[in-house]
Amino acid sequence: MAHFTKATSVKDWLNQRLAVEKIEKVMASEYWIPKNINFLWAMGMVLVITFALLVVSGIFLLMYYVPTVDEAFYSVNYTIMREVDFGWLWRHIHGVAASVVFLVIYIHMFTGIYYGSYKKGRELIWVSGMLLFVAFSAEAFSGYMLPWGQMSYWAGMVITNLFAGGSLHADGLVEWIRGDYVPAQAFLGRFFMLHVFLLPLAIMALIGLHFAALRIPHVNNQDGEEIDFDAESKKYLDGDKAGSKVMRFANDFMSKDMMVVGIFLIFFFYLVFWNYSFAMDPVNFDPADGLKTPAHIYPEWYFLWSYEILRPFNIDLGLILFGFAQVIFVLLPWLDRSPNAVPANRRGLFAIWFWVMLSNMIILTAMGKLPPEGVFSQIGLVSAVLFVVQWIALPFITAREKKV
Amino acid sequence: MHNSSRRGFMGKAFGAVAGVGAVGSLVAMKKTWDPLPSVKAAGFTTLDMSIYKENQLVTEKWRGKPIFVLKKTAAMVASQTDEQKERDIVVDGSHFMLAIGLCTHLGCIPAYKGEAEGFLCACHGGKFDWAGVVTQVPPPRGFDIPPFKIDGNKVILGEVGPEYKQMKETGITL
C-alpha cells in the first residue's frame, strides 16, 4: 500500500489522496494564457456560463414537464407558465439561452476562423468544437419538440423526412426514427430522452475533449505568434511578470474573462425579463395538429442559413448541398492549404474570402426567414451557390498564399 | 511466450463474447425503436365516396396523415392530360383525386387554392395541380397515393386493391 502520513491540515489530507495542489496548478494557476488577446477570447467562458444556465433552468423545467402528446403542451403553457411560482423565469431563461448560445457559438467560430486558430496543432480544437456545434444543434432541435405546439410538430415532420434521403425513399428509416407513421407519442418520448439525458451527456463529454485539445497547443493570440510557453512561463514564475508574454489562467485571465461574462449576463437577463419573445415563436402557442400545416414554416434563426441552402434546389441536389453545408466546416483545417496562422487581414485573398463568407451567411439567414417567393428565391439561390463555390475555391486560394 | 499466448487467447475469447453481446444489444435497441403493434394495427380507414361535393377539397385522416379527397367536375375530367388521367380514381362513376396530402418534398400540407392555381406548399414553395401532379419544384413527384381498395361506393385505405396495385407497378405512386 502507498505510504500516507498524518495530515497536517485538510488541504494536506486531500493532497495526499487527490493531489489537489497539482491539479490546481495544471488546471488554473500554471495553465498559461498569452497576454496578446482581446475580449473575443472570453467567448468560451461565456459559452460555459450559458450552458450552465441551460442546465440549471432545464432541471427546474424537467420537474413539471409531462412528456405525453396529450399533456406536454399544457404542462408547459399552463402548469409551468401559470401555476409554478417563477416557472416563467426558468422557461424564459431556457428559451433565451438556447437562442443566445448559438449567437455566441457563431461569434466563437468566426473568431477562430479569422485568427487561424484551427492551424498548427490546433486542428482537434476545431474538430471537437464543430462536433459540439452538431451536438448543440441536435439538442436545440430535440428541445424544440417538447412543448408539442404546431411548430414543434411540423419541424419534427420536416426534419425527420430529411432522413428519407430524397429519391432513396428510405421511408422505413423515417418511420423507425419516429416510431410511427407521423410524429406521435413514441417520437415525443424518444426526443424527450435525447434532450434531457443522452445529448447533454454527449455535450459534456465533448466539452471535456474540447478543453483537453486546447491544453497542449494552448490558446492562440491576436498575431498568431508562436509562443515558447515553457520559456515565457519560467520568466513569469521568476518574477518578470511584465516581461513575460503569458499570464496565469486563474486568477489573471479569469478576472478579465468574468468581466466580459458580467457584461454578457446583464444583456442576457435584459432579454430574459424584457425581450424574451424573439425566442418564443407565436405559432408554437397553438397545440400540435397533424392535419393543419402552419402557413409559413421556418426553423429558429440559427438554422436558417443551412435551411436556405436546402430550399432553392430539387430535393436530391438540395439534400446533397445541405449535407455539404453541415460537414464542410469540420474540414476547414485541411481545406485551408496555407501555412500562415495569422489574422485574416494579413492573408490577402483569404481576408476577402472570410468577409464574403460571413456576409453571405447573414444573407442566407435573412432569405431563409422570408417566404420563398419572387426576388427572395433568386437571392437565396445565388447565395447558396456562392456558399458552395467559396468552399470549393478555398484550397486554391490558400495554396497560392505567400508565406508571411 | 507461453503466458502471452494464453493472454492472447483470453483476449480473443473475450472479444468473441463481447461481439455477440454487442450485436445482440444493437438488435434489441433497433427493435425497441420500431413502431409498436398497436400503431401498425390502427392503419385502416373506410371512406364513403358518395358524400363528397364537386371541386371541394375534403381532408380525411389515415395513419395520422391527411388524405386529400377531391371530386372532379365534368370539365376537369374532360380536360385531363394523360399524366392527370393515370392518377384518376373512379368510384361508382365519379372521378376523384385521392392522395396523401403531404408535399413529397418534406411533408408539409399544401393548401388548395382552387382549380386554376391548384395546391401551394408554404414550406418551400412547391406546387401541384388539382390532379396531384407537380407543377413547380422542389417536390420530386406528384402526391403519393395511399394503398386503397374500392368496394362499391366505399374506399378502404390501407388495403391493396387491383387499381392501387396497378398504379404501384406502373410507378405512378410509390
Side-chain angles (χ1 to χ4, degrees):
Chain A
M1 203 177 125
H3 183 67
F4 286 85
T5 56
K6 186 169 168 49
T8 55
S9 64
V10 174
K11 195 177 173 189
D12 180 45
W13 190 89
L14 284 170
N15 247 337
Q16 290 192 41
R17 286 155 182 85
L18 276 177
V20 282
E21 249 175 2
K22 196 168 180 187
I23 292 173
E24 193 276 334
K25 275 188 181 170
V26 171
M27 307 289 275
S29 63
E30 292 186 13
Y31 176 27
W32 304 99
I33 306 290
K35 286 180 181 170
N36 182 21
I37 56 177
N38 60 41
F39 79 99
L40 290 167
W41 269 253
M43 292 305 137
M45 188 55 74
V46 171
L47 283 170
V48 168
I49 299 293
T50 315
F51 182 62
L53 283 165
L54 283 163
V55 171
V56 172
S57 57
I59 286 171
F60 284 91
L61 292 171
L62 184 51
M63 293 180 219
Y64 288 98
Y65 175 74
V66 184
T68 66
V69 288
D70 293 327
E71 288 182 76
F73 185 83
Y74 297 98
S75 72
V76 173
N77 289 298
Y78 184 75
T79 311
I80 289 171
M81 289 304 284
R82 285 162 185 257
E83 284 200 298
V84 179
D85 249 357
F86 286 97
W88 58 270
L89 177 68
W90 306 120
R91 190 187 185 196
H92 289 172
I93 289 177
H94 208 67
V96 170
S99 194
V100 168
V101 83
F102 277 93
L103 177 67
V104 185
I105 285 175
Y106 284 128
I107 294 173
H108 195 53
M109 223 174 109
F110 275 94
T111 303
I113 300 179
Y114 185 85
Y115 289 102
S117 306
Y118 49 88
K119 296 178 168 225
K120 288 190 180 167
R122 295 197 176 93
E123 297 88 349
L124 202 52
I125 306 171
W126 177 261
V127 171
S128 58
M130 287 312 300
L131 291 177
L132 270 168
F133 178 75
V134 173
F136 266 94
S137 300
E139 182 69 357
F141 173 72
S142 57
Y144 200 63
M145 299 299 104
L146 301 189
W148 208 240
Q150 271 291 67
M151 274 302 199
S152 304
Y153 183 91
W154 287 99
M157 177 76 100
V158 169
I159 298 297
T160 46
N161 267 338
L162 291 176
F163 290 90
S167 292
L168 297 175
H169 297 304
D171 296 333
L173 177 63
V174 174
E175 279 163 19
W176 180 74
I177 291 170
R178 291 176 186 161
D180 203 327
Y181 304 106
V182 287
Q185 182 57 50
F187 174 86
L188 181 60
R190 62 191 58 170
F191 276 82
F192 171 68
M193 175 283 290
L194 289 173
H195 186 74
V196 304
F197 179 69
L198 199 53
L199 290 169
L201 195 67
I203 287 175
M204 289 176 201
L206 283 168
I207 290 174
L209 175 63
H210 198 53
F211 287 174
L214 190 58
R215 179 66 217 201
I216 295 169
H218 284 86
V219 174
N220 194 9
N221 56 76
Q222 279 195 93
D223 295 305
E225 184 191 349
E226 210 174 300
I227 293 171
D228 183 346
F229 281 88
D230 291 334
E232 295 299 328
S233 60
K234 191 169 181 302
K235 209 189 269 180
Y236 186 101
L237 290 173
D238 290 346
D240 186 12
K241 293 186 181 183
S244 172
K245 287 180 179 174
V246 298
M247 59 181 166
R248 299 177 192 274
F249 174 74
N251 297 319
D252 309 2
F253 173 65
M254 275 283 273
S255 60
K256 206 172 163 185
D257 232 13
M258 294 317 275
M259 176 75 194
V260 179
V261 168
I263 294 165
F264 166 76
L265 286 177
I266 292 170
F267 160 74
F268 177 80
F269 280 100
Y270 157 75
L271 292 176
V272 168
F273 291 124
W274 289 285
N275 259 310
Y276 51 84
S277 54
F278 74 95
M280 307 267 161
D281 197 294
V283 181
N284 219 22
F285 285 89
D286 292 325
D289 181 354
L291 295 186
K292 205 175 106 214
T293 318
H296 182 41
I297 298 184
Y298 41 80
E300 288 292 282
W301 70 267
Y302 38 85
F303 292 143
L304 286 170
W305 67 270
S306 54
Y307 176 74
E308 185 57 27
I309 289 171
L310 174 74
R311 203 159 68 164
F313 307 101
N314 75 42
I315 182 147
D316 290 327
L317 184 60
L319 272 178
I320 290 166
L321 296 182
F322 181 73
F324 175 85
Q326 300 306 310
V327 300
I328 198 68
F329 275 95
V330 182
L331 302 178
L332 178 61
W334 296 278
L335 291 174
D336 183 342
R337 311 296 307 163
S338 156
N340 299 325
V342 296
N345 64 348
R346 287 185 223 153
R347 293 183 52 192
L349 275 178
F350 182 78
I352 298 167
W353 186 93
F354 174 85
W355 291 110
V356 172
M357 178 57 70
L358 182 57
S359 328
N360 194 30
M361 281 179 72
I362 293 169
I363 293 170
L364 283 168
T365 301
M367 292 306 124
K369 183 83 184 181
L370 294 165
E373 291 156 10
V375 70
F376 302 137
S377 299
Q378 273 134 37
I379 295 172
L381 176 66
V382 172
S383 287
V385 172
L386 178 62
F387 178 87
V388 176
V389 168
Q390 267 203 288
W391 280 103
I392 294 172
L394 183 62
F396 301 102
I397 290 175
T398 48
R400 285 160 167 258
E401 202 172 298
K402 288 191 187 73
K403 177 103 180 99
V404 294
Chain B
M1 203 59 214
H2 185 60
N3 268 342
S4 76
S5 74
R6 267 171 74 166
R7 284 200 189 117
F9 170 75
M10 284 158 84
K12 284 184 194 107
F14 171 72
V17 172
V20 170
V23 171
S25 47
L26 278 179
V27 170
M29 288 175 196
K30 190 267 170 194
K31 293 265 183 193
T32 303
W33 269 37
D34 277 345
L36 301 177
S38 57
V39 167
K40 284 185 169 168
F44 301 94
T45 304
T46 305
L47 304 178
D48 178 355
M49 302 305 280
S50 61
I51 60 167
Y52 299 103
K53 296 196 178 72
E54 284 187 349
N55 196 23
Q56 220 176 71
L57 183 78
V58 178
T59 308
E60 304 284 358
K61 193 172 171 180
W62 169 73
R63 291 188 182 172
K65 292 176 188 174
I67 300 295
F68 286 163
V69 184
L70 182 74
K71 188 171 177 179
K72 295 174 185 172
T73 62
M76 282 178 179
V77 176
S79 72
Q80 284 191 127
T81 62
D82 283 348
E83 207 184 357
Q84 291 171 327
K85 207 177 281 171
E86 54 187 25
R87 310 176 62 90
D88 207 27
I89 292 169
V90 186
V91 182
D92 213 12
S94 306
H95 294 252
F96 291 93
M97 190 278 287
L98 176 76
I100 297 175
L102 297 174
C103 181
T104 49
H105 182 225
L106 289 175
C108 298
I109 303 178
Y112 188 51
K113 302 273 181 186
E115 192 178 339
E117 287 177 79
F119 295 88
L120 171 71
C121 181
C123 289
H124 305 92
K127 285 181 187 165
F128 303 82
D129 65 18
W130 46 261
V133 176
V134 180
T135 51
Q136 163 91 43
V137 291
R141 60 185 186 278
F143 287 136
D144 290 330
I145 297 168
F148 67 92
K149 193 173 141 191
I150 299 169
D151 182 14
N153 63 356
K154 291 195 171 62
V155 163
I156 302 152
L157 298 177
E159 275 192 44
V160 176
E163 293 86 354
Y164 175 75
K165 213 171 169 187
Q166 200 198 342
M167 283 184 178
K168 185 123 184 137
E169 275 162 11
T170 49
I172 292 160
T173 187
L174 276 172

